[in-house]
Amino acid sequence: MEVSTQRPLEFNELLHVHAGLRSELTTLYELSLTLVDSVVSQNEAWRGHLNSLLQQFDFFYVIFNSHSKAEDDVILPALTTKVVCGIGELPHELEDQHEGHEKFFDDIKLHLLPLRTEKAQNIANAHKEQLKPLVEHIAMLIEQLRAKVMLHFRKEEEELLPLLLSNFSREELIDLVGRIVGERSSELMQHFITIMSKSLSANDRDVALGQIKEAARGTLFSRWLEAEAAISDHMLDKGLVDEHKCRSVVQEPSPYRCKHYQRRCEILAPCCNKYFACRVCHDEFYENVVGQIHTVNRYKIERIRCLVCKTEQPVGKSCISCKVSFSKYSCLVCRLYDDCEKRSIYHCPFCNVCRAGKNLGEDYYHCMKCNACVNVNHREHRCVEKCLESSCPICFSDMFSSTIPIKELPCGHFMHRTCFQNYTKNGFKCPICRKAIINMRNHWQQFDSIIENYLCTMKIQNRMVNFETRFIQCNECSLSGNATRPVLKDIPYSIPFKCPQCATYNTTH
């Protein structure tokens, strides 16, 4: 299908990100100049300027790398596919567009290393001019990086963006955005939203968020945004911004009372106004002891109690009284705390729940069509719309918010991993679509051997073989039609009809 090249500029995601990155890079450059001035002069605030520079460089490095990775892994391969299909041309220069950026970052990181040491931080004001050659060289490297990146952005906007707009429909572009943000963790999403909020006008900011919301339609991304905004407002009101960093956290051992998670606090269930070790403990208590199906809404939990000093307090990452950290992993959206070193947990901003795994972009990504977190090894999976927004076909319990790992079946459906392990001891068909969910190749070959041996035996004995023809439907390839099989006598079990199209025995008649 030919796509018009005169289409108006209606997709600005690349421009929005570039505007935010330009602003952050300019801030980094200005901080480097400020540090040089404070080191050369008698300004005693140079340590604060140094820390600001280090934090800004680390921040920019993370978001710029994420942006570059999105271009290399999603945008350029998609454009290349269009070129293979004969639509448009991909300039050779764009294929190596990020060459050299990493070298600049590596040089700057190498020169920043001495400034990260305790010795550099504690150097006396009278001797701080010893750092002058180093900080001046770092400022020069940052200036060179700024020039190269700014040129790179302009080149992308003049060459890459027109190619995207001329060769992709708006729906395809929104799908690309969905694939990009599906690889970004909640922390990275916060970073990108922050830089766009700082650099864009209110109207452009709404447009940028609107395009992300459109790409994430059908997910819980909007709820995550609301939850993050509420948490930020609460922290600002209480003066607890990034409290796990600005507070002196004490890691004290404490008897863990929860069999599901290791934590130093317990939650107050808003539904019954009682304290429980965790929400799963609450649900199990009512189901197993009281005999009721009664679940707590994790998002409505507002108060917790420290297990070390027994102080009741609002939800937070560390105790407001004894300063003990409740856990190494703390999610204030889900009110989840866990101190187990062997377990990795991340919060998905699109599911708006915490999942088991390292993070989005590492071992999982969020598929917008399935509205599910999928292992990166299954990128070519078969999409089933909102596949997790249903019950497990075996135990009929909720899968979306389940703490039990989910198993993706070859047919694209899902069930709990434990349910899969138990079910496949005696069955091999998906309870939903009836396709095989385990490798049945050896079984089909065994059926072939049985039939072949039976026919050979009947031929040797010079006995007649009867055949029957039935109308069948294949569960694997969906073929509907007639199939023929020999009538096997003296066989203690029945062998299904073999599909004449896909040669499997997963058929019904």
Side-chain angles (χ1 to χ4, degrees):
M1 181 180 68
E2 186 175 346
V3 184
S4 173
T5 58
Q6 301 301 317
R7 189 155 48 103
L9 185 65
E10 57 183 11
F11 180 79
N12 302 317
E13 199 271 344
L14 193 67
L15 298 178
H16 293 152
V17 174
H18 281 182
L21 290 173
R22 279 192 178 100
S23 175
E24 296 301 321
L25 183 54
T26 299
T27 300
L28 177 64
Y29 174 64
E30 291 173 350
L31 286 173
S32 69
L33 297 181
T34 302
L35 177 62
V36 171
D37 291 340
S38 62
V39 168
V40 173
S41 66
Q42 298 300 318
N43 191 340
E44 295 185 1
W46 70 275
R47 289 189 183 86
H49 297 153
L50 172 60
N51 290 329
S52 297
L53 174 69
L54 294 175
Q55 292 174 8
Q56 182 65 17
F57 174 79
D58 293 341
F59 178 76
F60 180 76
Y61 179 70
V62 168
I63 57 176
F64 182 82
N65 263 5
S66 176
H67 173 65
S68 299
K69 185 175 185 296
E71 292 177 347
D72 293 339
D73 295 351
V74 178
I75 294 179
L76 289 180
L79 267 176
T80 302
T81 301
K82 290 285 186 179
V83 171
V84 171
C85 296
I87 307 175
E89 293 184 16
L90 183 63
H92 175 71
E93 295 81 3
L94 288 178
E95 297 178 358
D96 302 317
Q97 58 177 325
H98 296 130
E99 184 180 355
H101 289 165
E102 196 61 35
K103 181 180 181 300
F104 274 99
F105 280 110
D106 288 341
D107 284 348
I108 296 173
K109 284 191 290 185
L110 183 64
H111 286 83
L112 285 176
L113 275 178
L115 298 178
R116 296 182 186 272
T117 62
E118 185 177 352
K119 180 179 178 181
Q121 295 282 341
N122 295 330
I123 191 171
N125 287 328
H127 303 290
K128 69 177 186 297
E129 287 194 9
Q130 298 174 3
L131 300 176
K132 178 183 174 183
L134 178 59
V135 296
E136 287 180 339
H137 185 66
I138 290 172
M140 181 194 69
L141 291 176
I142 292 176
E143 183 179 12
Q144 293 175 353
L145 173 67
R146 179 170 176 259
K148 185 173 181 63
V149 170
M150 292 296 190
L151 179 63
H152 161 71
F153 286 162
R154 189 179 70 183
K155 187 177 180 181
E156 282 189 339
E157 291 164 5
E158 293 175 353
E159 299 180 13
L160 180 62
L161 185 58
L163 278 176
L164 290 171
L165 294 173
S166 61
N167 292 316
F168 290 85
S169 67
R170 190 176 192 283
E171 290 71 24
E172 289 175 319
L173 291 172
I174 292 297
D175 181 64
L176 287 180
V177 175
R179 290 169 56 189
I180 290 170
V181 298
E183 297 273 356
R184 288 177 180 163
S185 65
S186 58
E187 295 82 6
L188 268 176
M189 288 302 300
Q190 289 173 336
H191 291 338
F192 276 96
I193 291 171
T194 298
I195 66 171
M196 288 190 291
S197 298
K198 287 163 49 179
S199 61
L200 300 178
S201 65
N203 181 62
D204 286 343
R205 182 170 64 249
D206 291 341
V207 171
L209 280 177
Q211 289 179 344
I212 297 175
K213 288 179 180 179
E214 186 177 354
R217 60 188 178 276
T219 73
L220 298 179
F221 178 71
S222 293
R223 291 189 187 179
W224 173 77
L225 279 178
E226 294 171 1
E228 286 292 341
I231 291 172
S232 298
D233 292 342
H234 172 75
M235 292 299 182
L236 286 172
D237 291 341
K238 301 297 182 181
L240 299 174
V241 179
D242 208 9
E243 62 164 347
H244 61 297
K245 291 184 180 179
C246 62
R247 286 184 178 271
S248 177
V249 175
V250 181
Q251 292 286 356
E252 293 185 4
S254 173
Y256 297 117
R257 298 183 181 180
C258 180
K259 66 179 181 180
H260 307 102
Y261 304 102
Q262 296 180 3
R263 50 175 63 179
R264 297 179 179 83
C265 66
E266 52 190 3
I267 62 170
L268 179 64
C271 47
C272 53
N273 203 34
K274 296 179 181 178
Y275 276 101
F276 290 89
C278 74
R279 67 173 186 87
V280 184
C281 290
H282 167 279
D283 298 349
E284 289 182 352
F285 171 78
Y286 275 94
E287 182 177 356
N288 300 330
V289 179
V290 182
Q292 298 177 356
I293 302 299
H294 175 57
T295 59
V296 65
N297 186 335
R298 72 186 79 190
Y299 307 111
K300 291 187 176 181
I301 297 170
E302 298 294 340
R303 297 193 66 79
I304 57 178
R305 182 165 62 191
C306 177
L307 292 178
V308 178
C309 66
K310 310 302 180 186
T311 301
E312 297 185 9
Q313 56 199 287
V315 171
K317 296 186 177 183
S318 58
C319 180
I320 61 175
S321 179
C322 68
K323 307 300 187 292
V324 68
S325 174
F326 294 133
S327 60
K328 292 181 179 178
Y329 177 84
S330 301
C331 176
L332 299 187
V333 176
C334 294
R335 277 58 165 172
L336 177 62
Y337 302 87
D338 191 30
D339 220 19
C340 181
E341 295 182 356
K342 296 181 180 179
R343 178 165 47 203
S344 297
I345 305 176
Y346 69 93
H347 184 90
C348 173
F350 307 101
C351 295
N352 199 32
V353 295
C354 290
R355 302 288 191 196
K358 294 179 181 178
N359 216 331
L360 295 181
E362 293 186 45
D363 54 349
Y364 281 89
Y365 73 99
H366 189 92
C367 175
M368 298 301 173
K369 293 182 180 178
C370 295
N371 191 21
C373 289
V374 181
N375 192 286
V376 293
N377 296 324
H378 298 155
R379 292 188 183 277
E380 303 302 322
H381 69 284
R382 183 182 302 175
C383 288
V384 177
E385 189 173 355
K386 299 182 179 180
C387 55
L388 289 189
E389 297 180 30
S390 59
S391 300
C392 172
I394 304 300
C395 67
F396 303 109
S397 61
D398 175 55
M399 289 192 294
F400 190 81
S401 58
S402 175
T403 58
I404 304 174
I406 303 299
K407 170 72 175 179
E408 180 189 359
L409 307 180
C411 56
H413 294 111
F414 291 80
M415 66 173 64
H416 291 125
R417 187 177 297 171
T418 52
C419 293
F420 172 81
Q421 292 168 348
N422 293 326
Y423 176 74
T424 51
K425 291 178 181 177
N426 299 304
F428 71 91
K429 297 180 182 179
C430 171
I432 300 174
C433 65
R434 312 302 293 171
K435 294 183 184 294
I437 57 176
I438 57 176
N439 190 345
M440 295 295 292
R441 183 176 180 181
N442 290 337
H443 290 77
W444 306 152
Q445 291 177 347
Q446 187 177 6
F447 286 160
D448 287 339
S449 298
I450 291 173
I451 293 174
E452 184 179 352
N453 291 337
Y454 178 82
L455 294 177
C456 290
T457 300
M458 297 295 284
K459 183 176 181 181
I460 292 172
Q461 296 178 355
N462 199 24
R463 297 168 60 186
M464 181 180 294
V465 179
N466 295 323
F467 290 87
E468 61 176 334
T469 300
R470 296 281 186 89
F471 184 84
I472 68 159
Q473 183 167 356
C474 179
N475 294 322
E476 296 296 333
C477 65
S478 302
L479 172 73
S480 296
N482 292 328
T484 302
R485 71 177 179 185
V487 178
L488 303 181
K489 298 180 180 180
D490 304 324
I491 300 292
Y493 51 85
S494 174
I495 295 180
F497 282 90
K498 184 176 184 178
C499 175
Q501 180 167 284
C502 65
T504 68
Y505 288 85
N506 186 9
T507 60
T508 56
H509 64 277

